[in-house]
């Protein structure tokens, strides 16, 4: 038995803006989530992570917060939020809030005060630098959202630092008052009864010496250089202080850290329970990809890529080994910052159901904590765009024009843009086959795919649906063999993945074809010994010699 509840967490990520609109303004809201709690419970998850819902100018969909103590009216009222926590708990669903601690909105009162000048007591809540002697930028570091990390404040003639949008200035964690203020916020929502936090972009809390330049950058250009502003040792100190204080008031708090660029070595440090670090982290390193085709007409970032299956297997085996014992990796295929799994790693056309089921099985039956993105349980695909005006980013529009000029069809250009669009996975949840997929009675803020079979209503009535399969898969996941059993990857060709999970008295084999071609089963299994407990095959053949495209099969045997 696990000693902490979160060791058996199965997390469902809700992007509140896109989940369910209850008041007909095209934006999902808390009331909408409350209305669907029974659906979520039936799915078989036990923990809800909500992307930020606090007051925000919504420059970055709520990751730019101007008041941490209040819910943004687009999502509802404080009473509704309290009701949501209560109703979730009634169904034994834990609640995890997103905690944005690297930056605030420019509109946050602290920053508005800081703008009053270098003498203001809030000035040091943020990071400021004077121009270099020749009036230049302090250094050539690049913001993740494009351009420099530095933005001039004309009034004082100083620059402030922003790793993300210029509307999102970075907090200065060196300042003890910032640390106390952030802790105060975190304690406030804990006192409202929530169960944990997802720490947004925490790996960037500490920055290197701000006078350093990235060497060898062409003049006037900026360079992303994580060695200066990601994963610095100080991050672990800030974490220890922050999380240590929270654990004093809530010893079983669940801390899910977002550590995009963490290697598995770093992930081990970030989950060191002896030093009050996170409980688990999400790294973006799970998915080594390779370019499928060379195409001079298409910009590098839009080239079609596919999962490098053998590198993926190695990576996952490495994480499984490194985070064994007391540690638990996260298991996920997508989130709100990435394209949807079935479009990116499966086939959202000919083999949509097969690939959706196979991918979920392969990932979630490893050892660790599944983190599902709303809608993947019904096989939602990337948001389909019909017009270039659907893309807000200016670079998307210029790529599009470039591609047309180079002779690429408008349909293909749009498809390529859709697959890398930041909004690709943020489409309205598909509840029914009605207008706007039943997400809202009006046109949703981010668009929605209207589809006949890929909606909750349809799939709840179909035992063969992706939804029914996810329910069976999550039931299986709760067995101790899958929550606690050891993991071993078996060597097979690049087309397939085969692994074993085992305890003293039981053993499971997960065998999957990760391609759209028939592939041989490369391990010998006798059905006299094993039972098939889950599979996406239409007919269960007793000849276990090959798997159809994206086929998957899970077998269990008792050892005694
Ligand atoms: O994303 C953060 C994130 O992915 C970066 O921290 C990452 O380290 C960087 O891009 C380098 O790979 C989170 C949210 O998930 C995202 O939606 C927000 O836009 C962002 O933080 C800012 O709050
Ligand atoms: Ca609404």
């Amino acid at each position: 038995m696990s000693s902490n509840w979160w060791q058996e967490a199965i997390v469902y990520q809700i992007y509140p803006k896109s989940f369910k609109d209850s008041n007909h303004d095209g934006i999902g809201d808390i009331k909408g989530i409350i209305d669907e709690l029974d659906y979520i419970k039936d799915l078989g998850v036990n923990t809800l992570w909500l992307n930020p819902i606090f007051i925000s100018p919504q420059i970055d969909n709520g990751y730019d917060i101007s008041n941490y103590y209040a819910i943004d009216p687009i999502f509802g009222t404080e009473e509704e939020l309290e009701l949501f926590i209560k109703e979730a708990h009634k169904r034994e669903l834990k609640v995890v809030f997103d905690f944005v601690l690297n930056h605030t909105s420019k509109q946050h009162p602290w920053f508005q005060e800081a703008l009053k000048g270098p003498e203001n007591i809030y000035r040091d809540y943020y990071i400021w630098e004077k121009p270099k002697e020749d009036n230049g930028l302090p250094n050539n570091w690049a913001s993740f959202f494009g351009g420099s990390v530095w933005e001039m404040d004309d009034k004082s003639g100083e620059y402030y630092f922003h790793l993300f949008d210029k509307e999102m200035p970075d907090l200065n964690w060196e300042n003890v008052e910032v640390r106390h203020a952030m802790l105060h916020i975190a304690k406030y929502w804990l006192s409202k009864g929530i169960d944990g936090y997802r720490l947004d972009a925490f790996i960037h809390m500490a920055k290197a010496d701000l006078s350093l330049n990235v060497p060898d950058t062409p003049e006037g250009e900026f360079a992303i250089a994580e060695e200066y502003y990601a994963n610095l040792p100080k991050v672990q100190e800030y974490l220890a202080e922050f999380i240590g204080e929270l654990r004093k008031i809530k010893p079983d708090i669940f801390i899910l850290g977002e550590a995009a660029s963490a290697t598995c070595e770093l992930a081990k440090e970030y989950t060191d329970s002896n030093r009050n670090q996170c409980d688990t982290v999400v790294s973006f390193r799970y998915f080594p990809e390779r370019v499928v085709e060379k195409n001079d007409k298409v910009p590098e970032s839009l080239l079609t890529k596919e999962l490098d299956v053998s590198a993926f297997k190695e990576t996952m085996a490495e994480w499984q080994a490194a985070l064994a014992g007391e540690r638990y990796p996260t298991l996920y295929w997508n989130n709100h910052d990435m394209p949807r799994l079935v479009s990116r790693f499966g086939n959202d056309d000919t083999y949509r159901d097969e690939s959706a089921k196979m991918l979920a099985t392969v990932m979630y039956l490893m050892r660790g904590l599944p983190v599902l993105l709303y809608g993947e349980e019904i096989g939602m695909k990337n948001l389909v765009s019909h017009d270039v005006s659907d893309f807000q980013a200016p670079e998307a529009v210029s790529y599009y024009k470039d591609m047309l000029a180079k002779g690429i069809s408008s349909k293909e250009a749009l498809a390529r843009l859709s697959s890398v669009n930041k909004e690709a996975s943020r489409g309205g949840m598909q509840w029914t086959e009605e207008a706007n997929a039943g997400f809202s009675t009006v046109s949703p803020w981010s668009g929605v795919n209207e589809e006949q079979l890929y909606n909750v209503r349809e799939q709840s009535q179909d035992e063969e649906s992706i939804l029914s399969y996810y329910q069976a898969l999550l039931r299986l996941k709760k067995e101790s063999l899958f929550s606690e059993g050891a993991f071993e990857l078996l060597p097979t060709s690049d087309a397939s993945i085969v692994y074993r999970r085992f305890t003293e008295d039981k053993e499971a084999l997960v065998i999957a074809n990760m391609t759209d071609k028939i592939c041989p089963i490369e391990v010998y299994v006798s059905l006299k010994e094993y039972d098939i407990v889950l599979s996406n095959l239409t007919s269960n053949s007793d000849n276990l010699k090959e798997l159809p495209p994206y086929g998957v099969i899970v077998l269990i045997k008792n050892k005694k």
Side-chain angles (χ1 to χ4, degrees):
M1 269 317 276
S2 313
S3 47
N4 290 306
W5 69 264
W6 61 262
Q7 291 169 346
E8 284 168 12
I10 300 178
V11 182
Y12 188 68
Q13 178 190 354
I14 297 179
Y15 201 68
K17 269 190 157 173
S18 302
F19 195 62
K20 182 114 196 221
D21 175 22
S22 73
N23 65 342
H24 322 294
D25 61 357
I27 302 172
D29 42 57
I30 295 296
K31 170 83 171 36
I33 304 174
I34 298 175
D35 291 344
E36 296 301 342
L37 282 174
D38 288 330
Y39 164 74
I40 297 170
K41 176 73 184 169
D42 280 353
L43 174 59
V45 300
N46 54 26
T47 305
L48 308 178
W49 151 35
L50 268 56
N51 292 92
I53 47 170
F54 311 107
I55 294 190
S56 158
Q58 302 288 330
I59 299 287
D60 188 22
N61 290 305
Y63 283 95
D64 50 320
I65 298 175
S66 54
N67 180 354
Y68 284 81
Y69 288 100
I71 176 174
D72 195 303
I74 63 171
F75 294 122
T77 62
E78 180 100 24
E79 291 73 51
E80 283 165 337
L81 189 59
E82 290 190 4
L83 182 65
F84 161 71
I85 298 170
K86 204 172 123 203
E87 290 296 318
H89 284 166
K90 214 192 255 177
R91 293 167 179 80
E92 294 179 311
L93 296 166
K94 303 277 187 183
V95 176
V96 171
F97 278 0
D98 219 313
F99 197 70
V100 185
L101 43 59
N102 177 71
H103 45 265
T104 68
S105 160
K106 212 177 156 178
Q107 304 310 321
H108 194 288
W110 298 336
F111 194 76
Q112 290 302 310
E113 281 297 310
L115 279 178
K116 291 182 179 163
E119 304 309 318
N120 189 280
I121 49 165
Y122 289 97
R123 186 74 168 186
D124 198 35
Y125 270 47
Y126 297 89
I127 301 167
W128 301 87
E129 282 289 305
K130 295 198 169 61
K132 284 227 178 104
E133 273 140 45
D134 52 355
N135 243 342
L137 296 161
N139 62 26
N140 62 353
W141 299 357
S143 150
F144 291 128
F145 283 13
S148 168
V149 294
W150 297 106
E151 182 69 16
M152 173 51 78
D153 161 41
D154 288 329
K155 189 166 172 235
S156 64
E158 289 184 359
Y159 291 98
Y160 67 86
F161 182 98
H162 64 92
L163 219 35
F164 296 91
D165 196 274
K166 65 175 174 20
E167 297 295 314
M168 297 149 76
D170 280 45
L171 285 163
N172 173 19
W173 274 74
E174 291 269 355
N175 181 347
V176 63
E177 286 174 34
V178 167
R179 303 205 295 274
H180 286 163
M182 295 316 276
L183 196 56
H184 196 268
I185 298 162
K187 287 182 178 171
Y188 174 78
W189 289 108
L190 277 187
S191 77
K192 297 277 172 192
I194 67 161
D195 305 285
Y197 285 113
R198 176 232 186 218
L199 301 187
D200 180 63
F202 78 84
I203 59 175
H204 305 301
M205 277 194 282
K207 279 90 183 167
D209 180 344
L210 300 171
S211 67
L212 293 173
N213 254 326
V214 183
D216 306 327
T217 316
E219 183 141 19
E221 284 186 23
F222 309 110
I224 297 274
E226 292 221 328
E227 61 266 40
Y228 301 110
Y229 42 68
N231 302 310
L232 299 182
K234 228 10 199 309
V235 169
Q236 296 179 32
E237 284 177 37
Y238 296 144
L239 274 186
E241 181 182 296
F242 180 75
I243 298 172
E245 288 299 318
L246 297 181
R247 286 205 177 115
K248 278 187 201 159
I249 23 178
K250 189 171 173 60
D252 70 341
I253 186 174
F254 175 42
I255 302 286
L256 168 65
E258 187 213 19
S261 56
T263 57
C264 85
E265 278 317 305
L266 256 176
K268 271 173 85 169
E269 294 186 30
Y270 286 141
T271 54
D272 184 348
S273 58
N274 297 319
R275 292 188 301 118
N276 270 322
Q277 302 287 294
C278 304
D279 293 313
T280 185
V281 294
V282 168
S283 159
F284 287 17
R285 296 206 169 206
Y286 282 4
F287 315 119
E289 284 180 300
R290 59 175 166 227
V291 172
V292 179
E293 97 277 54
K294 277 237 168 298
N295 189 335
D296 297 341
K297 293 179 178 169
V298 178
E300 167 74 34
S301 61
L302 296 185
L303 285 173
T304 308
K305 299 189 188 80
E306 67 178 16
L307 189 67
D308 179 338
V309 176
S310 78
F312 167 74
K313 288 195 284 188
E314 242 174 71
T315 308
M316 295 313 290
E318 189 193 359
W319 281 75
Q320 289 284 302
L323 276 68
E326 282 182 6
R327 289 186 171 81
Y328 292 79
T330 49
L331 305 170
Y332 79 103
W333 279 115
N334 52 192
N335 60 42
H336 66 291
D337 291 329
M338 294 176 184
R340 285 195 172 264
L341 80 168
V342 71
S343 303
R344 184 175 176 195
F345 302 116
N347 177 321
D348 63 15
D349 190 14
T350 323
Y351 297 114
R352 186 157 168 190
D353 288 41
E354 292 84 345
S355 61
K357 293 172 183 173
M358 180 278 291
L359 289 168
T361 313
V362 163
M363 183 61 78
Y364 304 139
L365 290 186
M366 290 189 213
R367 184 175 171 282
L369 313 179
V371 185
L372 281 61
L373 176 63
Y374 80 97
E376 66 167 82
E377 73 276 19
I378 50 166
M380 270 172 66
K381 62 179 181 181
N382 284 345
L383 204 48
V384 178
S385 294
H386 303 287
D387 193 285
V388 69
S389 65
D390 292 344
F391 302 101
Q392 274 142 29
E395 65 271 21
V397 180
S398 61
Y399 280 157
Y400 178 76
K401 287 186 182 151
D402 274 6
M403 279 191 280
L404 294 195
K406 287 173 176 165
I408 294 207
S409 75
S410 129
K411 193 172 168 218
E412 191 190 332
L414 281 176
R416 284 178 191 268
L417 275 178
S418 301
S419 69
V420 294
N421 177 20
K422 246 199 143 178
E423 240 97 269
S425 60
R426 304 177 185 175
M429 174 73 173
Q430 295 163 213
W431 294 102
T432 68
E433 58 278 89
E434 291 153 346
N436 307 311
F439 162 77
S440 175
T441 52
V442 303
S443 184
W445 73 281
S446 74
V448 61
N449 293 335
E450 292 171 348
E451 299 186 279
Q452 274 181 1
L453 297 173
Y454 297 91
N455 62 69
V456 170
R457 188 193 285 165
E458 196 65 41
Q459 293 196 19
S460 323
Q461 295 155 10
D462 176 5
E463 281 175 18
E464 304 288 313
S465 67
I466 302 174
L467 178 58
S468 301
Y469 187 93
Y470 261 75
Q471 289 171 325
L473 173 64
L474 297 183
R475 268 197 302 276
L476 198 58
K477 173 69 186 179
K478 289 179 186 136
E479 290 190 15
S480 60
L481 175 58
F482 291 106
S483 53
E484 289 304 327
F487 172 94
E488 185 194 7
L489 181 74
L490 304 183
T492 52
S493 72
D494 283 3
S496 66
I497 178 166
V498 180
Y499 64 81
R500 225 159 67 85
R501 298 291 312 273
F502 54 98
T503 57
E504 259 176 32
D505 43 45
K506 271 190 173 184
E507 167 177 309
L509 273 177
V510 176
I511 307 175
N513 176 358
M514 307 221 23
T515 72
D516 58 4
K517 316 229 163 23
I518 292 174
C519 100
I521 293 183
E522 294 161 77
V523 290
Y524 172 75
V525 265
S526 152
L527 284 179
K528 291 204 186 83
E529 279 182 83
Y530 286 92
D531 289 326
I532 299 180
V533 289
L534 189 70
S535 165
N536 66 354
L537 309 190
T538 34
S539 63
N540 275 341
S541 70
D542 38 14
N543 142 34
L544 284 180
K545 293 219 159 52
E546 57 184 29
L547 281 176
Y550 300 107
V552 65
I553 182 156
V554 183
L555 303 134
I556 293 190
K557 76 170 177 188
N558 286 317
K559 286 181 173 169
K560 286 168 190 162

